Amino acid sequence: MTPGKYACLGEINDYWEEIGFTPWAKMGLTGVYRRVTFKKGAMLGEVARYYADDYIIWGHRGEESVADIFRVWKGEADVMTHRILLLGEETWDKHRQKTFLWGYRGWVEVYTFRIGDEPHKRFVDLAHWASKGLEYLKACRGGNKPGGDVCEGS
């Protein structure tokens, strides 16, 4: 696995922690992860609870990693969706997804995104955090080199 164009995002753990993400690495993928809890309430209190797992991945092998995700990834109890944003050199027009047990055990969604492009509507929030992460890194480094990428020299 090559570190990837956006590997420098791994240097800003304080940023990721502030917005609820933690470092994550598995299956040859490197990035950050968070779990979002959804609660359904009624007059008698909570009637349902489920989770959504979000991943922003900068270390991957492109299409090979996508194939591995769809081949190996398993559903988890009470997790409805696993959204995986792969940062890379291109932005897909549409996201890809796989369901577990016809959707009853949830699903995994994968989307490749190049920071600066317009993201798919289902990944706008994750694309926003990745873009802001680059801005934060640039500010921490005291600006960017003229004509250079913020991650160059990492």
Side-chain angles (χ1 to χ4, degrees):
M1 176 189 71
T2 57
K5 176 179 179 180
Y6 300 109
C8 62
L9 290 172
E11 300 173 13
I12 53 172
N13 286 333
D14 56 335
Y15 167 78
W16 295 117
E17 288 173 12
E18 183 67 27
I19 59 173
F21 286 87
T22 58
W24 182 87
K26 202 175 199 179
M27 295 175 38
L29 305 171
T30 310
V32 290
Y33 151 87
R34 74 174 175 187
R35 174 164 283 176
V36 180
T37 304
F38 294 91
K39 297 177 184 178
K40 175 72 174 161
M43 289 180 55
L44 297 175
E46 185 178 311
V47 294
R49 176 188 300 238
Y50 68 93
Y51 305 101
D53 289 352
D54 293 334
Y55 303 83
I56 299 174
I57 306 297
W58 49 78
H60 59 86
R61 298 173 315 279
E63 286 293 333
E64 186 180 334
S65 290
V66 173
D68 286 347
I69 289 167
F70 287 132
R71 184 174 43 80
V72 175
W73 208 274
K74 304 285 185 219
E76 293 181 37
D78 300 324
V79 178
M80 288 306 299
T81 183
H82 305 261
R83 293 188 308 156
I84 303 171
L85 180 70
L86 300 176
L87 300 176
E89 295 295 326
E90 66 174 329
T91 298
W92 290 346
D93 292 333
K94 296 192 286 185
H95 71 290
R96 300 178 195 171
Q97 75 178 29
K98 173 187 173 182
T99 61
F100 306 113
L101 193 61
W102 301 287
Y104 291 111
R105 296 266 306 153
W107 59 90
V108 61
E109 299 175 281
V110 179
Y111 182 65
T112 295
F113 176 70
R114 177 179 50 215
I115 293 179
D117 290 351
E118 188 68 29
H120 185 277
K121 64 184 177 183
R122 293 185 60 85
F123 288 84
V124 167
D125 59 328
L126 298 180
H128 169 79
W129 293 124
S131 298
K132 291 298 180 187
L134 275 186
E135 289 178 24
Y136 178 81
L137 183 63
K138 182 178 177 179
C140 288
R141 290 185 174 176
N144 202 358
K145 298 178 238 173
D149 184 24
V150 72
C151 287
E152 285 180 353
S154 297

